Amino acid sequence: MLSRILRSHLCRDCLAASSRRPFSITVSTTSTLPPPPPPIGYAHLTNRALILLYGRDAAHYLQGLTTTNIKSYTLNSLGGSYTSFLNAQGRVLHDVFVYPIDHAFGFGEIPEGITYDEPGFMIDVDKAHAEALRLHLQRYKLRAKIALRAVDPGEWQIWGTWNDEAVEAFENSPAPPQNFGCTDTRAPGMGKRILSFVDISKTLEGQETSVESYDVRRILRGVPQGHDEIISGEALPQESNIDYMSGIDFRKGCYVGQELTIRTHHTGVVRKRILPVQLYNSDEKPPDGLQYDLLSSLTTPAAPQNIARVNTRGRSAGKFLKGVGNVGLALCRLETMTDLKLTEEGSQWSPEHEFKLAGQSGEDHNGEKEVKIKAFVPEWHKYRISVRDVHRQQNA
């Protein structure tokens, strides 16, 4: 039973909780904020870019650089997965999706010495840092029989699709014909990623929405993405929830950055994690639940900023990473900002505690209106914690 739980990306309880929406949305017809995401929809992810990597050594090459088991990927409509690249110190450089490909269609010319029937992969990465990833891949190439290139935005498109009304059936359905992609396993109900070399918007189910609206949907589910939220060279994979988002295979062989990641998994305690947060003005009551409010008068603060407990001096309680309107993501000290118990000391959190944004330095800024912040632990986080606890008990 335990092995089946550990192998599963999603649980039925989490899927059910996701479909019930553990957050709410208040709509306005005059707001300049992005509209709330529709329950059934899709978005053209123009903030992402693709790198094509191919050649006889492609799978072995990526296996030594990424946190998941690349060799387990299959060439089918739902092949591919979420993963990450780390530096030698175990810090995240890039969080990505990797898709196995068939060179026989749509990939143009290939270099001399490499044939169409050799394995290859498309890597879906934060567009602003695609060149940095290409250089990182080139750095480790040495004598590996591979080739790589940036894919022009006009060649292929990246789409995010979802259906909150039939989560499990939708995520198990095949990709549209002549396209490929994978189920987005980062959180229950995130839907699917689809890569296409033509505009498929007319063939997708639901309502098209913007990248910004897609980001709201992602933030409400507590899913960080890209360098603004998973800070390159600083963020640790477990603190960034990459383990919870099915982005780490703790049973695979050696890869760059593995030592610290594995040691933390087996012996360490992850005291901080990225969580969804709600912002509210100092004269408002703390929110009872996570709510994206287009009527909010709050101006989204700049990020990153430190988080401090109201009326208390001491170490930072966390770091605010990104916001859209009155919601966002923050790296939170779990036993300070939530009721989660990680150690025998237990949580220091109390329902009476409130937290605020404290700027880059952690000090109050005179004359500026105080912005308060409250963290929420997603249900799928609690499920992952319960699976981890069962696993540790079985191996004690």
Side-chain angles (χ1 to χ4, degrees), residues 326-377:
N326 70 321
V327 297
L329 294 170
L331 180 63
C332 304
R333 291 189 182 276
L334 297 176
E335 290 190 332
T336 301
M337 294 188 68
T338 78
D339 61 354
L340 292 180
K341 181 180 178 180
L342 305 174
T343 63
E344 293 182 358
E345 301 169 2
S347 175
Q348 293 84 52
W349 176 85
S350 167
E352 290 76 33
H353 293 170
E354 288 190 275
F355 299 87
K356 63 181 180 180
L357 297 184
Q360 294 272 358
S361 64
E363 298 295 329
D364 292 337
H365 296 278
N366 294 328
E368 293 187 9
K369 190 173 183 179
E370 188 174 83
V371 176
K372 294 183 178 179
I373 182 169
K374 183 174 180 178
F376 294 88
V377 181

Side-chain angles (χ1 to χ4, degrees), residues 144-166:
K145 301 296 183 182
I146 61 166
L148 61 102
R149 69 176 178 88
V151 177
D152 187 88
E155 292 182 67
W156 286 83
Q157 299 177 353
I158 307 170
W159 296 82
T161 68
W162 62 91
N163 185 336
D164 292 341
E165 297 178 2

Side-chain angles (χ1 to χ4, degrees), residues 81-390:
S81 184
Y82 177 70
T83 188
S84 63
F85 292 86
L86 310 181
N87 64 17
Q89 291 73 43
R91 306 279 174 166
V92 181
L93 294 177
H94 307 275
D95 68 307
V96 303
F97 284 84
V98 175
Y99 316 88
I101 61 168
D102 179 357
H103 290 299
F105 78 101
F107 291 98
E109 295 294 327
I110 60 174
E112 183 179 352
I114 295 177
T115 64
Y116 279 100
D117 59 354
E118 291 176 354
F121 298 89
M122 291 280 257
I123 304 173
D124 164 358
V125 63
D126 184 339
K127 185 177 182 178
H129 298 273
E131 178 61 13
L133 176 56
R134 190 191 67 79
L135 293 174
H136 177 72
L137 291 168
Q138 190 72 38
R139 173 187 176 189
Y140 288 94
K141 181 176 180 291
L142 301 177
R143 296 184 179 181
K145 301 296 183 182
I146 61 166
L148 61 102
R149 69 176 178 88
V151 177
D152 187 88
E155 292 182 67
W156 286 83
Q157 299 177 353
I158 307 170
W159 296 82
T161 68
W162 62 91
N163 185 336
D164 292 341
E165 297 178 2
V167 173
E168 193 168 11
F170 177 77
E171 292 183 348
N172 289 329
S173 63
Q178 301 302 310
N179 303 285
F180 61 93
C182 68
T183 300
D184 188 340
T185 60
R186 293 177 297 176
M190 277 300 293
K192 292 189 292 189
R193 309 281 279 212
I194 297 176
L195 272 59
S196 173
F197 59 90
V198 295
D199 185 348
I200 58 171
S201 59
K202 298 294 187 289
T203 68
L204 297 175
E205 183 181 6
Q207 175 186 338
E208 184 171 6
T209 191
S210 64
V211 171
E212 293 76 18
S213 181
Y214 177 86
D215 281 343
V216 170
R217 186 174 189 278
R218 182 175 56 76
I219 287 170
L220 289 171
R221 283 164 171 77
V223 175
Q225 174 180 282
H227 287 216
D228 290 342
E229 300 159 30
I230 304 176
I231 300 175
S232 182
E234 296 182 18
L236 291 168
Q238 282 100 326
E239 290 183 352
S240 305
N241 305 326
I242 293 175
D243 55 340
Y244 283 4
M245 297 190 295
S246 305
I248 302 176
D249 185 340
F250 292 106
R251 296 167 296 181
K252 71 171 284 186
C254 296
Y255 56 88
V256 175
Q258 180 195 36
E259 183 178 353
L260 177 61
T261 305
I262 293 295
R263 187 166 68 245
T264 301
H265 174 66
H266 289 294
T267 64
V269 175
V270 182
R271 298 180 181 273
K272 296 183 287 183
R273 283 192 181 270
I274 295 177
L275 298 176
V277 296
Q278 184 163 329
L279 306 168
Y280 58 105
N281 290 313
S282 57
D283 55 355
E284 296 176 333
K285 294 181 179 180
D288 294 325
L290 189 62
Q291 178 180 5
Y292 177 52
D293 186 2
L294 293 177
L295 301 176
S296 173
S297 61
L298 185 144
T299 301
T300 306
Q305 287 198 48
N306 289 319
I307 300 172
R309 186 175 152 192
V310 173
N311 299 326
T312 302
R313 288 190 176 274
R315 67 178 182 177
S316 169
K319 180 181 289 187
F320 176 63
L321 300 171
K322 180 178 179 177
V324 178
N326 70 321
V327 297
L329 294 170
L331 180 63
C332 304
R333 291 189 182 276
L334 297 176
E335 290 190 332
T336 301
M337 294 188 68
T338 78
D339 61 354
L340 292 180
K341 181 180 178 180
L342 305 174
T343 63
E344 293 182 358
E345 301 169 2
S347 175
Q348 293 84 52
W349 176 85
S350 167
E352 290 76 33
H353 293 170
E354 288 190 275
F355 299 87
K356 63 181 180 180
L357 297 184
Q360 294 272 358
S361 64
E363 298 295 329
D364 292 337
H365 296 278
N366 294 328
E368 293 187 9
K369 190 173 183 179
E370 188 174 83
V371 176
K372 294 183 178 179
I373 182 169
K374 183 174 180 178
F376 294 88
V377 181
E379 288 300 317
W380 61 274
H381 273 224
K382 296 176 183 178
Y383 170 73
R384 297 294 191 191
I385 292 170
S386 68
V387 170
R388 179 206 63 193
D389 291 345
V390 170

